[in-house]
Amino acid sequence: DAGVIQSPRHEVTEMGQEVTLRCKPISGHNSLFWYRQTMMRGLELLIYFNNNVPIDDSGMPEDRFSAKMPNASFSTLKIQPSEPRDSAVYFCASSGLGGGANYGYTFGSGTRLTVV
Amino acid sequence: KNEVEQSPQNLTAQEGEFITINCSYSVGISALHWLQQHPGGGIVSLFMLSSGKKKHGRLIATINIQEKHSSLHITASHPRDSAVYICAVGLNNNDMRFGAGTRLTVKP
């Protein structure tokens, strides 16, 4: 298995532009998580899905952020419009065995977003 | 007060030393995770545990549910163990809380 695949690895965009981050979870995993990591705040859970359904999006910072999981093998995190304070590394992770944060995780390599 | 506290924040050791990183939490949890983040940024899940002890190679993780405390031990440390180690707790509602991390540097 290739693991959790995120794209792009790096993204540089101008303020105000739309940004879409992509994630392919491990096949068979039924939970998917989006995290943001910054120097100031560390790792933060943004949203997670169980069986493609968003369970908790209370970590999403504001309405500019949205996430979708149209099927079991693909998820997107969209920021529109982007702002410089959105600059961070965004990680996707997936887990199986019934799902949820209480089962082993596999993380993607992350997307480093820079908004200028 | 953070819900997940790690100590120490930074740790420097000589190759071969036994290392302990501590994690205390103040919320009810279903599981506790230890994560490793290398300088390149990738995150690896080392352990997930809800009771007792787990061992993988030179790494040992323990948890005491009553005391709300977990430790990560590294035996015979090596420079390649240099990384940030993050404690994370899974809450009963499947949410996660993260510690600030412990930056470990192992010198040859």
Side-chain angles (χ1 to χ4, degrees):
Chain A
D1 197 325
V4 176
I5 299 172
Q6 288 187 248
S7 64
R9 288 295 304 274
H10 302 273
E11 176 80 31
V12 181
T13 191
E14 290 185 345
M15 183 173 64
Q17 296 297 307
E18 177 181 293
V19 176
T20 300
L21 312 181
R22 297 173 176 80
C23 176
K24 182 181 187 306
I26 287 178
S27 177
H29 280 189
N30 60 346
S31 289
L32 183 141
F33 304 80
W34 282 101
Y35 298 95
R36 179 172 68 176
Q37 186 178 38
T38 62
M39 289 292 292
M40 292 296 294
R41 300 171 67 92
L43 266 169
E44 301 172 282
L45 176 65
L46 299 177
I47 185 172
Y48 74 93
F49 297 82
N50 268 5
N51 297 317
N52 312 339
V53 177
I55 302 299
D56 184 355
D57 65 354
S58 59
M60 297 283 263
E62 48 196 273
D63 292 345
R64 297 183 297 106
F65 285 69
S66 62
K68 293 182 180 179
M69 192 165 186
N71 57 61
S73 59
F74 184 66
S75 177
T76 60
L77 177 68
K78 187 174 292 187
I79 308 172
Q80 165 65 18
S82 58
E83 297 182 4
R85 62 192 166 120
D86 301 331
S87 298
V89 180
Y90 291 81
F91 288 99
C92 175
S94 70
S95 71
L97 298 176
N102 300 313
Y103 295 88
Y105 270 41
T106 301
F107 281 81
S109 300
T111 294
R112 184 175 294 278
L113 173 65
T114 304
V115 183
V116 298
Chain B
K1 189 180 189 303
N2 291 336
E3 291 167 311
V4 182
E5 297 274 1
Q6 283 186 240
S7 64
Q9 284 188 326
N10 294 284
L11 179 58
T12 300
Q14 288 297 130
E15 183 173 356
E17 286 185 359
F18 180 83
I19 288 162
T20 296
I21 300 171
N22 294 300
C23 176
S24 296
Y25 53 92
S26 58
V27 293
I29 71 169
S30 294
L32 184 143
H33 303 255
W34 281 102
L35 311 175
Q36 179 192 54
Q37 187 168 30
H38 275 280
I43 297 176
V44 175
S45 176
L46 297 175
F47 294 105
M48 185 198 66
L49 64 165
S50 54
S51 65
K53 180 169 90 172
K54 286 190 177 180
K55 185 176 188 293
H56 182 72
R58 295 180 295 105
L59 302 179
I60 303 167
T62 64
I63 187 169
N64 185 316
I65 296 294
Q66 286 73 29
E67 295 185 3
K68 296 188 174 180
H69 181 268
S70 175
S71 293
L72 176 68
H73 305 286
I74 305 175
T75 61
S77 60
H78 189 277
R80 64 174 175 265
D81 297 327
S82 298
V84 175
Y85 292 83
I86 301 169
C87 172
V89 297
L91 306 185
N92 292 321
N93 63 354
N94 277 333
D95 198 355
M96 293 279 282
R97 296 286 186 268
F98 295 89
T102 295
R103 184 173 299 276
L104 170 66
T105 303
V106 182
K107 296 185 175 181

